Amino acid sequence: MSLDLFKMNILYDYYGSLLTDKQREIFKMHYLNDYSLGEISQSLNISRQGVYDTLKRAEATLKFYEEKLELIKKHDILTKKVEKINELLDNLYLHVQSEEISKMIQEIKTILNELNQ
Amino acid sequence: MSLDLFKMNILYDYYGSLLTDKQREIFKMHYLNDYSLGEISQSLNISRQGVYDTLKRAEATLKFYEEKLELIKKHDILTKKVEKINELLDNLYLHVQSEEISKMIQEIKTILNELNQ
């Protein structure tokens, strides 16, 4: 496969709902469960070429949607901003003595880290 | 139109890049610039029925993608969390006297509000 596993898994997380059931099944077998094309072919009783074509179409679909919507790119920007806020909160935490304020900062950090999921 | 203008504008913000050029042109004329079907029909020299069909297909496309990806729903959740953090930061701000800490809180709020755009 030309594109790496990591990238494919992320694309699937974002856009997997836009694949057909068949594409999703084969994509998951290959990229999430590490089945070879031959193993998928045997397991689903379809040709190896059919498996290959379906995978390629699924990959193209996922890449198409990222080009159009850029959700992964946007999420990376969000992640960096959340990290920056986390750093600032950690710094703030070091500057306060009050137990109450420390708790408030912790509460903020908890909600903040939910943003990044 | 059965669905309200506000909802259509939000859907367009998120998924407009997935429409065809023609759908996008007609959608913008109608929903963003408030042209009637008749006015669009005259302006683009296509039938009123053609304008209507294109608009309906565009609406269906936008709704389809929201059903699959739920970006608007997810953004609403993010907005609520950002609001909650903002409230906590405002509360924190009231509890500190130090100029330095106040500035740090302001800096956090600036980055935080970028998350919501």
Side-chain angles (χ1 to χ4, degrees), chain B residues 23-98:
Chain B
Q23 286 174 337
R24 198 156 35 232
E25 181 179 22
I26 291 177
F27 192 94
K28 280 165 71 177
M29 287 177 86
H30 185 62
Y31 283 115
L32 280 68
N33 301 326
D34 199 31
Y35 281 52
S36 70
L37 301 196
E39 287 167 333
I40 298 171
S41 164
Q42 279 198 321
S43 167
L44 300 184
N45 200 26
I46 51 180
S47 71
R48 197 180 182 287
Q49 185 65 41
V51 173
Y52 179 83
D53 291 345
T54 302
L55 267 181
K56 284 294 158 196
R57 270 198 301 279
E59 289 174 11
T61 299
L62 299 178
K63 288 196 284 178
F64 168 83
Y65 284 114
E66 176 58 14
E67 276 165 26
K68 290 290 183 183
L69 296 173
E70 299 187 326
L71 298 184
I72 298 174
K73 193 173 165 187
K74 287 174 189 167
H75 191 263
D76 286 347
I77 294 170
L78 182 134
T79 299
K80 285 195 178 66
K81 287 181 178 170
V82 167
E83 277 170 10
K84 178 68 185 162
I85 294 173
N86 255 321
E87 275 173 33
L88 290 164
L89 286 170
D90 289 341
N91 195 8
L92 195 60
Y93 192 81
L94 296 175
H95 280 72
V96 295
Q97 273 84 39
S98 139

Side-chain angles (χ1 to χ4, degrees), chain A:
Chain A
M1 290 295 137
S2 57
L3 282 152
D4 74 294
L5 191 68
F6 180 70
K7 187 175 172 190
M8 279 299 151
N9 273 280
I10 293 178
L11 281 167
Y12 184 82
D13 280 348
Y14 280 84
Y15 305 110
S17 64
L18 297 168
L19 299 179
T20 66
D21 289 344
K22 185 183 167 203
Q23 285 174 336
R24 200 157 33 232
E25 181 179 22
I26 291 177
F27 193 94
K28 279 165 69 177
M29 288 177 85
H30 185 62
Y31 283 116
L32 280 66
N33 301 325
D34 199 32
Y35 281 51
S36 70
L37 301 195
E39 286 167 335
I40 298 170
S41 165
Q42 279 198 321
S43 169
L44 300 183
N45 200 26
I46 51 178
S47 71
R48 196 180 182 286
Q49 185 65 41
V51 174
Y52 179 82
D53 291 346
T54 302
L55 267 180
K56 284 293 159 196
R57 268 199 301 278
E59 289 174 12
T61 298
L62 299 178
K63 288 196 286 177
F64 168 82
Y65 284 113
E66 175 58 13
E67 276 166 24
K68 290 288 184 185
L69 298 173
E70 299 188 325
L71 298 183
I72 298 175
K73 193 174 164 186
K74 287 173 188 167
H75 191 263
D76 286 346
I77 293 170
L78 183 135
T79 299
K80 285 195 178 66
K81 288 182 176 170
V82 167
E83 277 170 12
K84 178 67 187 163
I85 294 173
N86 254 322
E87 275 172 35
L88 290 165
L89 287 169
D90 288 341
N91 195 9
L92 194 61
Y93 192 81
L94 296 175
H95 280 72
V96 296
Q97 271 85 39
S98 141
E99 180 76 11
E100 193 190 354
I101 292 180
S102 297
K103 273 188 184 164
M104 289 165 77
I105 293 172
Q106 284 301 334
E107 193 182 349
I108 291 170
K109 281 175 74 78
T110 301
I111 303 171
L112 182 72
N113 291 319
E114 290 171 9
L115 297 183
N116 206 15
Q117 284 161 6

